[in-house]
PDB file of all heavy atoms in Angstrom:
ATOM      1  N   MET A   1     -41.480-233.607  34.191  1.00 73.00           N
ATOM      2  CA  MET A   1     -40.937-234.283  35.369  1.00 73.00           C
ATOM      3  C   MET A   1     -39.920-233.400  36.092  1.00 73.00           C
ATOM      4  O   MET A   1     -39.820-233.411  37.315  1.00 73.00           O
ATOM      5  CB  MET A   1     -40.286-235.600  34.948  1.00 73.00           C
ATOM      6  CG  MET A   1     -39.845-236.460  36.113  1.00 73.00           C
ATOM      7  SD  MET A   1     -41.213-236.963  37.175  1.00 73.00           S
ATOM      8  CE  MET A   1     -40.399-238.003  38.363  1.00 73.00           C
ATOM      9  N   ASN A  33     -51.786-220.294  37.393  1.00 85.00           N
ATOM     10  CA  ASN A  33     -52.422-221.607  37.485  1.00 85.00           C
ATOM     11  C   ASN A  33     -51.418-222.723  37.169  1.00 85.00           C
ATOM     12  O   ASN A  33     -51.510-223.820  37.730  1.00 85.00           O
ATOM     13  CB  ASN A  33     -53.617-221.694  36.538  1.00 85.00           C
ATOM     14  CG  ASN A  33     -54.765-220.810  36.990  1.00 85.00           C
ATOM     15  OD1 ASN A  33     -54.858-220.453  38.166  1.00 85.00           O
ATOM     16  ND2 ASN A  33     -55.646-220.449  36.064  1.00 85.00           N
ATOM     17  N   TRP A  46     -45.832-237.504  45.233  1.00 96.00           N
ATOM     18  CA  TRP A  46     -45.059-237.897  46.422  1.00 96.00           C
ATOM     19  C   TRP A  46     -45.877-237.584  47.680  1.00 96.00           C
ATOM     20  O   TRP A  46     -45.400-236.919  48.602  1.00 96.00           O
ATOM     21  CB  TRP A  46     -43.731-237.159  46.438  1.00 96.00           C
ATOM     22  CG  TRP A  46     -42.796-237.601  45.347  1.00 96.00           C
ATOM     23  CD1 TRP A  46     -42.156-238.801  45.248  1.00 96.00           C
ATOM     24  CD2 TRP A  46     -42.408-236.843  44.198  1.00 96.00           C
ATOM     25  NE1 TRP A  46     -41.385-238.849  44.098  1.00 96.00           N
ATOM     26  CE2 TRP A  46     -41.512-237.665  43.436  1.00 96.00           C
ATOM     27  CE3 TRP A  46     -42.706-235.569  43.726  1.00 96.00           C
ATOM     28  CZ2 TRP A  46     -40.936-237.228  42.242  1.00 96.00           C
ATOM     29  CZ3 TRP A  46     -42.139-235.137  42.536  1.00 96.00           C
ATOM     30  CH2 TRP A  46     -41.264-235.968  41.804  1.00 96.00           C
ATOM     31  N   PHE A  47     -47.114-238.084  47.716  1.00 95.00           N
ATOM     32  CA  PHE A  47     -48.022-237.770  48.828  1.00 95.00           C
ATOM     33  C   PHE A  47     -47.472-238.259  50.167  1.00 95.00           C
ATOM     34  O   PHE A  47     -47.811-237.719  51.216  1.00 95.00           O
ATOM     35  CB  PHE A  47     -49.401-238.392  48.573  1.00 95.00           C
ATOM     36  CG  PHE A  47     -49.389-239.891  48.517  1.00 95.00           C
ATOM     37  CD1 PHE A  47     -49.585-240.658  49.653  1.00 95.00           C
ATOM     38  CD2 PHE A  47     -49.167-240.535  47.305  1.00 95.00           C
ATOM     39  CE1 PHE A  47     -49.570-242.039  49.593  1.00 95.00           C
ATOM     40  CE2 PHE A  47     -49.158-241.925  47.246  1.00 95.00           C
ATOM     41  CZ  PHE A  47     -49.345-242.691  48.388  1.00 95.00           C
ATOM     42  N   GLY A  54     -52.182-224.791  51.892  1.00 90.00           N
ATOM     43  CA  GLY A  54     -52.830-223.643  51.274  1.00 90.00           C
ATOM     44  C   GLY A  54     -51.913-222.895  50.325  1.00 90.00           C
ATOM     45  O   GLY A  54     -51.247-223.481  49.479  1.00 90.00           O
ATOM     46  N   TYR A  66     -34.998-239.268  52.461  1.00 95.00           N
ATOM     47  CA  TYR A  66     -34.796-238.754  51.109  1.00 95.00           C
ATOM     48  C   TYR A  66     -34.846-239.895  50.089  1.00 95.00           C
ATOM     49  O   TYR A  66     -34.085-240.860  50.203  1.00 95.00           O
ATOM     50  CB  TYR A  66     -33.451-238.042  50.999  1.00 95.00           C
ATOM     51  CG  TYR A  66     -33.325-236.846  51.923  1.00 95.00           C
ATOM     52  CD1 TYR A  66     -32.583-236.922  53.095  1.00 95.00           C
ATOM     53  CD2 TYR A  66     -33.951-235.650  51.610  1.00 95.00           C
ATOM     54  CE1 TYR A  66     -32.468-235.838  53.935  1.00 95.00           C
ATOM     55  CE2 TYR A  66     -33.847-234.546  52.449  1.00 95.00           C
ATOM     56  CZ  TYR A  66     -33.102-234.643  53.617  1.00 95.00           C
ATOM     57  OH  TYR A  66     -32.992-233.570  54.447  1.00 95.00           O
ATOM     58  N   ALA A 106     -12.540-226.440  24.824  1.00 78.00           N
ATOM     59  CA  ALA A 106     -11.548-227.105  23.982  1.00 78.00           C
ATOM     60  C   ALA A 106     -10.931-226.056  23.057  1.00 78.00           C
ATOM     61  O   ALA A 106     -11.635-225.253  22.455  1.00 78.00           O
ATOM     62  CB  ALA A 106     -12.199-228.211  23.167  1.00 78.00           C
ATOM     63  N   PRO A 179      -5.386-229.408  23.294  1.00 93.00           N
ATOM     64  CA  PRO A 179      -4.570-228.186  23.289  1.00 93.00           C
ATOM     65  C   PRO A 179      -3.221-228.351  22.584  1.00 93.00           C
ATOM     66  O   PRO A 179      -2.577-227.349  22.280  1.00 93.00           O
ATOM     67  CB  PRO A 179      -4.365-227.903  24.784  1.00 93.00           C
ATOM     68  CG  PRO A 179      -5.510-228.563  25.463  1.00 93.00           C
ATOM     69  CD  PRO A 179      -5.756-229.805  24.669  1.00 93.00           C
ATOM     70  N   ASP A 183      -3.037-227.800  14.209  1.00 96.00           N
ATOM     71  CA  ASP A 183      -3.917-227.575  13.066  1.00 96.00           C
ATOM     72  C   ASP A 183      -4.616-228.885  12.728  1.00 96.00           C
ATOM     73  O   ASP A 183      -4.206-229.960  13.185  1.00 96.00           O
ATOM     74  CB  ASP A 183      -3.126-227.065  11.857  1.00 96.00           C
ATOM     75  CG  ASP A 183      -3.967-226.229  10.906  1.00 96.00           C
ATOM     76  OD1 ASP A 183      -5.201-226.192  11.090  1.00 96.00           O
ATOM     77  OD2 ASP A 183      -3.410-225.625   9.976  1.00 96.00           O
ATOM     78  N   ASP A 196      -6.528-252.473   4.299  1.00 83.00           N
ATOM     79  CA  ASP A 196      -6.690-253.340   5.466  1.00 83.00           C
ATOM     80  C   ASP A 196      -7.198-252.586   6.699  1.00 83.00           C
ATOM     81  O   ASP A 196      -7.300-253.158   7.781  1.00 83.00           O
ATOM     82  CB  ASP A 196      -5.372-254.038   5.807  1.00 83.00           C
ATOM     83  CG  ASP A 196      -4.282-253.045   6.225  1.00 83.00           C
ATOM     84  OD1 ASP A 196      -4.419-251.839   5.904  1.00 83.00           O
ATOM     85  OD2 ASP A 196      -3.303-253.467   6.856  1.00 83.00           O
ATOM     86  N   ALA A 208     -11.257-254.109  35.777  1.00 90.00           N
ATOM     87  CA  ALA A 208     -10.937-254.319  37.185  1.00 90.00           C
ATOM     88  C   ALA A 208      -9.435-254.421  37.371  1.00 90.00           C
ATOM     89  O   ALA A 208      -8.733-255.053  36.580  1.00 90.00           O
ATOM     90  CB  ALA A 208     -11.615-255.588  37.694  1.00 90.00           C
ATOM     91  N   ASN A 256       7.944-243.301  31.618  1.00 84.00           N
ATOM     92  CA  ASN A 256       8.622-243.675  30.383  1.00 84.00           C
ATOM     93  C   ASN A 256       9.784-242.702  30.156  1.00 84.00           C
ATOM     94  O   ASN A 256       9.580-241.493  30.051  1.00 84.00           O
ATOM     95  CB  ASN A 256       7.634-243.609  29.220  1.00 84.00           C
ATOM     96  CG  ASN A 256       8.235-244.089  27.917  1.00 84.00           C
ATOM     97  OD1 ASN A 256       9.451-244.080  27.723  1.00 84.00           O
ATOM     98  ND2 ASN A 256       7.380-244.523  27.004  1.00 84.00           N
ATOM     99  N   ASP A 258      11.355-241.927  27.655  1.00 91.00           N
ATOM    100  CA  ASP A 258      11.272-241.192  26.393  1.00 91.00           C
ATOM    101  C   ASP A 258      10.383-239.961  26.496  1.00 91.00           C
ATOM    102  O   ASP A 258      10.368-239.131  25.593  1.00 91.00           O
ATOM    103  CB  ASP A 258      10.727-242.104  25.283  1.00 91.00           C
ATOM    104  CG  ASP A 258      11.691-243.223  24.927  1.00 91.00           C
ATOM    105  OD1 ASP A 258      12.899-243.053  25.180  1.00 91.00           O
ATOM    106  OD2 ASP A 258      11.239-244.254  24.403  1.00 91.00           O
ATOM    107  N   ASP A 268       5.771-220.834  41.163  1.00 88.00           N
ATOM    108  CA  ASP A 268       5.979-219.705  42.056  1.00 88.00           C
ATOM    109  C   ASP A 268       4.670-218.935  42.233  1.00 88.00           C
ATOM    110  O   ASP A 268       4.059-218.525  41.245  1.00 88.00           O
ATOM    111  CB  ASP A 268       7.047-218.756  41.512  1.00 88.00           C
ATOM    112  CG  ASP A 268       8.410-219.424  41.409  1.00 88.00           C
ATOM    113  OD1 ASP A 268       8.732-220.225  42.318  1.00 88.00           O
ATOM    114  OD2 ASP A 268       9.133-219.182  40.444  1.00 88.00           O
TER     115      ASP A 268
END
Side-chain angles (χ1 to χ4, degrees):
M1 187 62 177
N33 291 338
W46 291 290
F47 63 90
Y66 299 103
D183 207 351
D196 64 341
N256 184 337
D258 293 337
D268 297 322

